[in-house]
């Protein structure tokens, strides 16, 4: 298959090795995530672990769109990671992206980055109210999100599984964004900023902690931010719950 590879300058000398990993993707490597649209595997490049994310073939229309009108998901992941790191926002280091293109448009594509050995994700904080240092983690996570917003990053997939958290000890934590291909780079008012938290599915207690910390960082009234964030969160939860209910109801009718 005709493959085009684009690497970070630090990995330019390893193009052939990267291409070899991509060409053997379906038969080699350790499976990390198998989704309906994407697959992620761990493999070894030189002397380091890397993640290879495979984006399944787009439909005919999107194949053309990703060829002429919009960058592919793999390219966006690579370029967005570079932007984040340039602004001191952690994400696994971007190594390369690879695209298979034909005369009819984009076919398969791959994004390669360094592997992160993380300790947990935001999801664990939701399910375990007694999680060790939960308040400290939530406050530091809020600082991390505030930093994103100040750097004009609106992460549209700011959801529980898309932040990897590394425990550095002494109640200090690092946060790494993953699944980067859906972002907007824009100035955000306070409504938009609070809206960006809603997909995290926080509890009322979590909302209070995060709203208070964001208020401290932004010089906004804590009561105002709490009210906005609660409204956004409750509306989102209702929307998703309703969608799941209708989906189950429709499935039941088909039986």
């Amino acid at each position: 298959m005709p493959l085009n590879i684009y690497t970070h300058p630090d990995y330019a000398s390893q193009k052939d090795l990267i291409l070899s990993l991509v060409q053997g993707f379906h038969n080699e490597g350790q499976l990390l995530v198998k989704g309906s649209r994407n697959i992620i595997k761990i493999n070894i490049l030189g002397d380091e672990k890397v993640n290879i994310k495979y984006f399944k073939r787009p439909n005919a229309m999107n194949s053309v769109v990703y060829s002429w009108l919009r960058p592919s998901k793999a390219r966006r992941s690579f370029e967005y990671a570079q932007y984040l790191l340039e602004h001191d926002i952690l994400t696994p280091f971007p190594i390369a992206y690879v695209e298979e293109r034909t005369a009819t448009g984009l076919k398969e594509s791959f994004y390669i980055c360094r592997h992160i050995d993380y300790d947990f994700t935001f999801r664990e904080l939701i399910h375990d109210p007694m999680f060790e240092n939960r308040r400290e983690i939530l406050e530091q996570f809020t600082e991390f999100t505030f930093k994103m917003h100040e750097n004009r990053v609106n992460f549209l997939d700011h959801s529980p599984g898309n932040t990897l958290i590394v425990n550095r000890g002494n109640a200090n934590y690092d946060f790494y964004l993953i699944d980067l291909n859906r972002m907007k780079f824009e100035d955000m008012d306070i409504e938009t900023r609070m809206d960006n938290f809603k997909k995290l599915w926080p509890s009322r207690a979590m909302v209070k902690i995060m709203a208070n910390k964001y208020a401290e960082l932004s010089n906004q009234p804590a009561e105002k931010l709490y009210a906005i964030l609660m409204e956004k969160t409750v509306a989102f939860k209702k929307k998703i719950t309703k969608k799941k209910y209708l989906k189950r109801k429709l499935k039941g009718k088909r039986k």
Side-chain angles (χ1 to χ4, degrees), residues 64-83:
V64 174
V65 168
Y66 290 142
S67 284
W68 305 107
L69 302 176
R70 192 180 185 198
S72 70
K73 292 180 180 179
R75 178 178 172 181
R76 276 181 275 150
S77 298
F78 180 83
E79 292 179 347
Y80 293 173
Q82 290 182 310
Y83 180 92

Side-chain angles (χ1 to χ4, degrees), residues 102-143:
T102 67
T104 58
L106 177 73
K107 300 306 178 186
E108 296 176 335
S109 60
F110 302 82
Y111 172 56
I112 302 93
C113 64
R114 289 178 187 162
H115 177 76
I116 297 292
D117 287 317
Y118 64 96
D119 294 297
F120 54 95
T121 69
F122 193 88
R123 184 174 285 111
E124 283 87 328
L125 303 178
I126 300 170
H127 296 305
D128 184 1
M130 302 305 294
F131 198 92
E132 185 179 7
N133 295 329
R134 189 174 187 241
R135 173 179 287 274
E136 289 83 357
I137 298 166
L138 288 171
E139 289 181 343
Q140 291 176 39
F141 176 81
T142 303
E143 290 183 46

